Amino acid sequence: MNKSIAHKGVISTSERQITLFYNSKSQRGKQTLAYAKTHGLAIEEIDVLKCTITGTQIAELVNRLGIEIQDLVNQEHYKYRNKFIVQDFSCEDWITMIQNHPEIMKQPIALRGSKTILVETPTDIMKL
C-alpha cells in the first residue's frame, strides 16, 4: 500500500446503511443503485459526477479497498486514453485526475461499516 496517501478517515459509514459512490451515467452504477433499492437497502448515494470528491476521500477509498491509487482509475476509459499518456504519475497527480475527470474512477464503490468493495456486478452489493 502506498503510504504517502494514508489519511485519517473522513467518509462516515454506518452498519445501518450503505454509502455508494457511483457514476449516474454508468450502466453498472445505475444497475447497482436500482438493485440495492429494490432489495430495500438503505443507501446514501454519492454521484461522482454531481458531488465533488475530496483528495482525502479518494485516498480513503484507495486505503479501504487496499489498492494502489492508479488502480482506482479505469485506464481503458476513453477519456483517460484521450487525455493522458501512460507514465508515472504521483499520488497527487492521480487524485487530481480523478477530481477533474470523475468518470474515469472505477465504480461503483460500496461501503458499510468497516467493509468496502468495488462492485463488479450489481449483486455484489449484497456482500455487505
Side-chain angles (χ1 to χ4, degrees):
M1 187 71 235
N2 191 330
K3 301 292 185 230
S4 65
I5 59 170
H7 292 282
K8 183 179 178 210
V10 294
I11 300 171
S12 63
T13 60
S14 166
E15 290 295 336
R16 293 191 197 123
Q17 76 173 6
I18 294 172
T19 302
L20 185 68
F21 287 83
Y22 77 105
N23 174 338
S24 58
K25 292 186 179 178
S26 146
Q27 207 52 24
R28 188 183 318 157
K30 289 188 281 191
Q31 289 172 345
T32 301
L33 182 60
Y35 185 86
K37 285 182 173 181
T38 60
H39 284 79
L41 300 175
I43 299 285
E44 177 186 359
E45 302 173 37
I46 300 174
D47 183 347
V48 299
L49 299 182
K50 296 177 183 167
C51 301
T52 303
I53 304 174
T54 68
T56 305
Q57 288 172 321
I58 293 168
E60 184 176 347
L61 289 173
V62 166
N63 288 336
R64 288 178 65 110
L65 289 167
I67 62 175
E68 297 292 328
I69 184 73
Q70 64 268 23
D71 296 332
L72 190 60
V73 173
N74 177 359
Q75 296 180 30
E76 298 302 314
H77 193 283
Y78 74 94
K79 278 209 173 167
Y80 176 85
R81 295 170 67 114
N82 289 342
K83 289 191 177 286
F84 304 104
I85 298 168
V86 177
Q87 60 181 336
D88 274 341
F89 294 111
S90 71
C91 292
E92 291 74 22
D93 291 338
W94 286 109
I95 287 171
T96 301
M97 269 193 268
I98 293 169
Q99 287 178 307
N100 292 331
H101 306 283
E103 63 279 354
I104 68 173
M105 184 175 93
K106 288 183 182 173
Q107 53 74 42
I109 299 171
L111 301 85
R112 177 185 262 168
S114 62
K115 295 180 187 168
T116 303
I117 60 169
L118 180 60
V119 176
E120 298 292 332
T121 65
T123 56
D124 285 351
I125 201 142
M126 300 307 282
K127 294 176 182 176
L128 296 175

